[in-house]
Amino acid sequence: MTTDPQSYELLLVPEFTKNAAGTGDTADAHALRSAVVVATGETGASGYPRYAGDGMEADIDPATRAVEALLVDGAELDYGLTVRVADRAR
């Protein structure tokens, strides 16, 4: 039995250049696209659980919520974009 989350909401946001503090900040970015992905029961090539839904497939580390691999509509993420894991509104 697994205790991994069964779903996540992914937000596709623009990747910003570093700000004056030297950090890249997407916290205030508006999502260009979002998807609710659910566990497929498979393990991705990265070794983490695979989640899929709404045109996105992601390998997500449940301990850190880091997205280790991502496909959007079957393709790799375009340069200038990044993905965040958001808290799902219930």
Side-chain angles (χ1 to χ4, degrees), residues 30-43:
H30 296 286
L32 301 174
R33 181 170 172 177
S34 67
V36 174
V37 294
V38 296
T40 65
E42 299 174 359
T43 300

Side-chain angles (χ1 to χ4, degrees), residues 12-70:
L12 195 62
V13 297
E15 183 175 53
F16 297 118
T17 57
K18 292 190 179 190
N19 60 21
T23 62
D25 186 16
T26 61
D28 296 325
H30 296 286
L32 301 174
R33 181 170 172 177
S34 67
V36 174
V37 294
V38 296
T40 65
E42 299 174 359
T43 300
S46 67
Y48 292 103
R50 169 78 39 100
Y51 295 80
D54 297 330
M56 292 190 196
E57 282 187 48
D59 297 357
I60 302 173
D61 177 350
T64 63
R65 295 176 23 145
V67 177
E68 300 294 339
L70 178 69

